[in-house]
Amino acid sequence: MAKISLASVKHSYVPKPLGPQDWALKQLDLEWSNGGAYALLGPSGCGKTTLLNIISGLVRPSQGKVLFDDVDLTQRPTEERQIAQVFQFPVVYDTMTVWENLAFPLRNRGLRAAEIEQKVKAIAHMLELDAMLPKRAAGLTADGKQKISLGRGLVRSDVNVIMFDEPLTVIDPHLKWQLRSKLKELHQRTRRTMIYVTHDQTEALTFAEKVVVMHEGSVVQIGSPVELFERPRHTFVGHFIGSPGMNILPCEVENGVVLFAGQRVQVENPPTGALAGRRTEIGVRPEFVSLGQGIPVSIVKVSDAGRYRVVEARHADYRIKLLVEEGVAVPASNASVRFDPGHTRLYADGRLLE
Amino acid sequence: MTLELRNVVKSVGTQTHIHETSLRLATAGFNILLGSTLAGKTTLMQLMAGLEQPSRGEVWFDGKNVTGVAVQKRNVSMVYQQFINYPNLTVFENIASPLRVARMSQAQTKERVQRIAELVKIAPMLQRHPGELSGGQQQRTALARALVKDADLVLLDEPLANLDFKLREELRDELPRLFQDRRSIVVFATTDPMDALLLGGHTATVREGRITQFGPTAEVYHRPADLATARVFSNPPINTATVRKQGGQVVLSDAVAWPAKAGLRELPDGPYVVGIRPHHISPVANGAGAARIDGKVQITELSGSESTIHFVHAQLNWVSQSHGMHAVQVGTTTELYIDVDRCMYFSPDGRLVAA
């Protein structure tokens, strides 16, 4: 187990990068502490897989260093980094039994039979695979096979970090729940360092203690799920996290007063300096917009999501989404909405004003 | 327009993939097939399209028996989970391909492709090749191709499954609008209850080769006819437990009981199965109609906006999902509250008796 640091890491897949568009990863300084549960979250093409491959040693960064417990391993191959990886598609040896699959990494490392037996049993028990141990892996369902992949990553005690690259993408929603909570439980029990790469905010937020949000090759925010939800530091984070994402509405700032479509709006971070020439927006999540005295809107669409309804409203040319709890009536056409001042924030050029 | 499956059965060898099914689909809104992988959704679509022939029963389209009529002779469009486009053709030619087959004039083809491309927001990409597009753009191209001809039947087989979470949300938002002015029957297969809820229309819940219920989506969700439907249509999974009705009380365990609600109250005493969706169990008591349940906390998942608490009560696993952050310590026993007005009750053989 180790602390992993990335120092001034940059990466480009082209030999002579010119503009910023040539860099798959822009300047990165990151530290993953020992025993943490991390998620690396971002859309396709944001650089998250490149970052994962740099940590595992599959990709050498164009610049910067990768340190494990302050030892520079930038030029060292994957085998010397003691890393376990779980991929999107389960990797199992079909001809082997579940037991043999789980024992495989331990046998490779020449562990004693008694020790292998004890470790395989413990992991199988945690994953609720006990009854499957003598069975051929080929006969398992997709989630069963993915459990074996997880198990092979967890069975070794010599790994520095376990990395998961979209491990639940091919799993059905109701089994996803089970596997995700299993993973969370395994982290809580084993306290291994885990890095979970995903484009799915629900997976990232429920699994991780700290989420690293990436966008176009840069880290835009690192924070706990609560911080990312409550106080997005970039409109991208506000949009990307949350379903539906944050309402981002253009606004004017005049003499310290924030105006949205001519209406005064109270924000949690009132402007202190000059904002002339900058693009200003307010951000407020649908969870913090409610029906009540405020901005007049027309109701465009109401979708029943079961435990709440997603209401799409319109004020002038602007679309505002809000969530309304089960059992609360939604007016048919005209209404007015209120932004919670404690959760309405001002952004300039996409960044939270602080 | 209507599409009917009349007593359709599909068997392969000794295995029955689709048990006897009758279903009548119309053009108003989406028709969702909701069920887990291998439940039979794709087979049902193939039967509808004529890609597969039923072992028994008939397929009727608009009052005509089309059983055995090949897919090429029916006016059907399909979009799959995998992004399927012709890699060597431009996006324009990809979208135009069904019109070329139909020998439409050049001018009309151009006009149509342009209009559809704008609708699915792919117009700036028309001269590119699919390989140069993102996954979302590739799927938009496939959708445009399905939309460009006025198909009678449009089959969308998990078209959002391979997209990033945010792209999925965006396209799901747009989809109903793309089809709203069309006279097509649209069928959409998914494993995700949220897709069904947000796309609206009608939903058929599919489980082990059977349609367990078909009706307006909100009705199937809020009043599932049986336990199987409730299970298919709940994510996270619905909590279930055997309870005993005694007089006016519902008894869950030695410690937990609550008054039977109207509908259940009138029924004979005895065992029932209660179904409680996770968001109807909360760490906070909401109103008078809440029954306290103490649970030993197994796992907590805090997503920033909601809390999911997995707990054990009376040797059963339960899940609670609630708004806000409720940090409870794993291993401790905590108080939770069941919103008893929203409990559903099923007979021991799984039929809904009160909701």
Side-chain angles (χ1 to χ4, degrees):
Chain A
M1 298 272 268
K3 172 185 82 180
I4 298 169
S5 325
L6 300 170
S8 305
V9 164
K10 284 177 90 168
H11 189 71
S12 176
Y13 291 101
V14 296
K16 286 202 172 82
L18 302 168
Q21 73 281 0
D22 288 342
W23 292 96
L25 275 187
K26 292 159 193 162
Q27 181 82 18
L28 260 185
D29 287 277
L30 263 178
E31 199 168 283
W32 316 84
S33 57
N34 194 359
Y38 293 95
L40 202 49
L41 174 69
S44 298
C46 71
K48 55 189 193 298
T49 300
T50 301
L51 180 53
L52 201 67
N53 289 341
I54 285 174
I55 297 173
S56 67
L58 292 172
V59 168
R60 301 279 151 82
S62 312
Q63 289 178 27
K65 286 181 181 160
V66 182
L67 307 147
F68 280 49
D69 275 339
D70 301 320
V71 180
D72 185 351
L73 294 181
T74 317
Q75 302 305 324
R76 314 302 304 171
T78 305
E79 307 86 84
E80 294 179 26
R81 299 187 185 200
Q82 306 294 6
I83 277 166
Q85 288 208 68
V86 179
F87 300 96
Q88 182 172 348
F89 295 97
V91 181
V92 294
Y93 304 103
D94 273 344
T95 54
M96 295 186 189
T97 63
V98 173
W99 192 94
E100 287 165 333
N101 262 282
L102 293 174
F104 190 77
L106 303 179
R107 285 182 164 169
N108 275 350
R109 280 164 186 77
L111 264 68
R112 285 179 302 111
E115 201 177 344
I116 293 175
E117 180 66 31
Q118 176 252 324
K119 286 194 166 175
V120 168
K121 266 198 166 158
I123 281 296
H125 187 66
M126 277 194 225
L127 289 166
E128 294 164 33
L129 284 172
D130 319 59
M132 308 302 277
L133 281 174
K135 300 225 165 85
R136 279 273 178 98
L140 294 180
T141 54
D143 62 301
K145 287 185 178 174
Q146 195 60 317
K147 273 191 181 177
I148 296 180
S149 300
L150 297 178
R152 271 209 317 268
L154 287 159
V155 77
R156 292 165 54 188
S157 47
D158 60 346
V159 292
N160 284 317
V161 56
I162 309 172
M163 304 204 292
F164 304 91
D165 195 357
E166 308 271 7
L168 303 183
T169 303
V170 296
I171 309 290
D172 274 10
H174 63 289
L175 295 169
K176 235 182 222 183
W177 271 97
Q178 290 173 16
L179 270 186
R180 206 176 62 210
S181 37
K182 187 87 318 209
L183 207 55
K184 178 99 185 176
E185 188 190 331
L186 289 172
H187 179 263
Q188 284 170 353
R189 279 213 217 169
T190 63
R191 280 283 150 194
R192 298 276 168 81
T193 310
M194 297 186 180
I195 303 177
Y196 189 115
V197 175
T198 180
H199 62 80
D200 187 320
Q201 46 147 345
T202 314
E203 286 177 29
L205 295 177
T206 47
F207 170 74
E209 296 155 347
K210 273 228 155 61
V211 181
V212 178
V213 187
M214 292 189 67
H215 179 46
E216 295 178 347
S218 301
V219 171
V220 283
Q221 187 168 356
I222 303 174
S224 68
V226 174
E227 286 162 349
L228 295 175
F229 182 79
E230 295 257 328
R231 209 178 155 76
R233 295 182 60 195
H234 195 285
T235 49
F236 173 80
V237 177
H239 160 76
F240 197 77
I241 287 177
S243 181
M246 189 165 77
N247 293 294
I248 297 159
L249 305 162
C251 67
E252 313 278 322
V253 178
E254 283 169 19
N255 306 321
V257 174
V258 181
L259 298 165
F260 160 63
Q263 309 250 352
R264 187 180 175 150
V265 174
Q266 272 198 40
V267 294
E268 184 260 355
N269 57 337
T272 47
L275 289 168
R278 298 180 71 182
R279 177 171 49 91
T280 50
E281 289 159 315
I282 51 169
V284 56
R285 292 199 175 277
E287 286 84 350
F288 301 120
V289 182
S290 53
L291 294 163
Q293 285 285 302
I295 298 157
V297 292
S298 53
I299 305 291
V300 179
K301 188 176 158 193
V302 181
S303 315
D304 186 347
R307 61 202 153 109
Y308 54 82
R309 276 151 302 155
V310 183
V311 177
E312 192 182 319
R314 197 167 279 277
H315 173 80
D317 287 336
Y318 306 110
R319 195 169 75 148
I320 302 167
K321 287 195 171 177
L322 56 146
L323 301 188
V324 177
E325 290 262 2
E326 199 174 14
V328 176
V330 179
S333 54
N334 294 312
S336 72
V337 296
R338 178 180 175 275
F339 299 161
D340 175 354
H343 289 98
T344 304
R345 295 196 170 79
L346 182 61
Y347 293 82
D349 299 326
R351 299 198 173 274
L352 182 70
L353 279 177
E354 287 180 279
Chain B
M1 249 180 259
T2 53
L3 174 76
E4 275 179 90
L5 301 182
R6 294 188 184 173
N7 310 103
V8 161
V9 175
K10 179 68 186 176
S11 317
V12 176
T14 56
Q15 278 199 320
T16 307
H17 288 198
I18 299 294
H19 297 273
E20 188 167 322
T21 294
S22 293
L23 185 68
R24 189 170 194 276
L25 304 180
T27 49
F30 274 48
N31 296 286
I32 315 281
L33 301 179
L34 174 66
S36 59
T37 303
L38 300 179
K41 305 185 299 295
T42 300
T43 307
L44 281 168
M45 286 191 154
Q46 288 170 335
L47 289 165
M48 291 173 187
L51 285 165
E52 289 277 359
Q53 299 310 325
S55 312
R56 280 212 320 266
E58 293 170 349
V59 183
W60 285 65
F61 194 85
D62 244 2
K64 282 195 286 285
N65 186 347
V66 294
T67 319
V69 177
V71 65
Q72 296 84 350
K73 300 210 168 140
R74 302 196 202 171
N75 190 10
V76 181
S77 288
M78 286 191 89
V79 178
Y80 303 88
Q81 178 175 347
Q82 296 79 15
F83 317 135
I84 299 175
N85 292 298
Y86 301 105
N88 53 332
L89 298 183
T90 61
V91 170
F92 182 96
E93 286 304 330
N94 262 286
I95 301 173
S97 59
L99 306 181
R100 302 275 188 229
V101 174
R103 298 181 190 281
M104 186 181 275
S105 77
Q106 185 65 19
Q108 216 182 340
T109 300
K110 213 173 159 199
E111 190 269 327
R112 276 247 203 159
V113 171
Q114 187 65 36
R115 186 163 48 82
I116 295 294
E118 274 163 26
L119 191 66
V120 305
K121 299 183 182 166
I122 199 87
M125 307 290 166
L126 283 173
Q127 294 318 314
R128 305 230 187 139
H129 285 82
E132 303 169 75
L133 304 181
S134 70
Q137 291 165 336
Q138 291 183 41
Q139 196 64 321
R140 283 171 186 275
T141 305
L143 270 170
R145 194 173 50 242
L147 281 160
V148 79
K149 65 170 182 179
D150 284 312
D152 297 329
L153 178 62
V154 180
L155 300 169
L156 307 170
D157 194 357
E158 299 196 47
L160 308 181
N162 283 12
L163 295 176
D164 267 20
F165 188 86
K166 271 285 147 175
L167 287 173
R168 191 158 77 208
E169 191 180 278
E170 195 180 301
L171 210 49
R172 184 171 63 197
D173 216 30
E174 289 175 33
L175 271 175
R177 200 170 44 76
L178 297 182
F179 288 96
Q180 71 188 3
D181 299 324
R182 291 178 170 263
R183 285 190 69 251
S184 315
I185 294 169
V186 184
V187 186
F188 182 103
T190 181
T191 57
D192 188 350
M194 194 53 102
D195 284 347
L197 282 166
L198 293 180
L199 289 168
H202 288 68
T203 292
T205 42
V206 189
R207 188 168 174 268
E208 293 172 1
R210 284 189 172 85
I211 291 179
T212 61
Q213 191 174 354
F214 178 65
T217 299
E219 203 177 297
V220 177
Y221 177 82
H222 290 290
R223 282 191 70 84
D226 52 33
L227 200 49
T229 304
R231 284 192 207 282
V232 172
F233 216 153
S234 296
N235 186 38
I238 190 167
N239 297 295
T240 59
T242 299
V243 291
R244 176 158 289 277
K245 179 182 174 277
Q246 279 171 359
Q249 289 290 105
V250 175
V251 181
L252 171 70
S253 64
D254 292 343
V256 182
W258 60 82
K261 65 177 173 185
L264 181 68
R265 210 178 300 141
E266 298 74 15
L267 297 176
D269 284 1
Y272 292 91
V273 177
V274 67
I276 312 171
R277 289 208 163 97
H279 61 279
H280 293 140
I281 304 180
S282 161
V284 188
N286 283 321
R292 179 173 149 184
I293 177 170
D294 289 349
K296 184 148 189 274
V297 180
Q298 304 294 300
I299 315 162
T300 60
E301 298 171 299
L302 307 178
S303 78
S305 59
E306 55 187 16
S307 308
T308 307
I309 302 168
H310 302 251
F311 65 97
V312 173
H313 174 87
Q315 278 115 52
L316 287 173
N317 292 313
W318 299 78
V319 183
S320 145
Q321 195 176 43
S322 53
H323 275 299
M325 294 292 93
H326 304 282
V328 288
Q329 206 61 42
V330 171
T332 60
T333 297
T334 192
E335 288 173 23
L336 295 113
Y337 297 88
I338 299 169
D339 183 349
V340 299
D341 293 337
R342 293 206 156 87
C343 290
M344 297 185 271
Y345 299 91
F346 301 89
S347 60
D349 64 355
R351 279 173 308 105
L352 184 76
V353 294

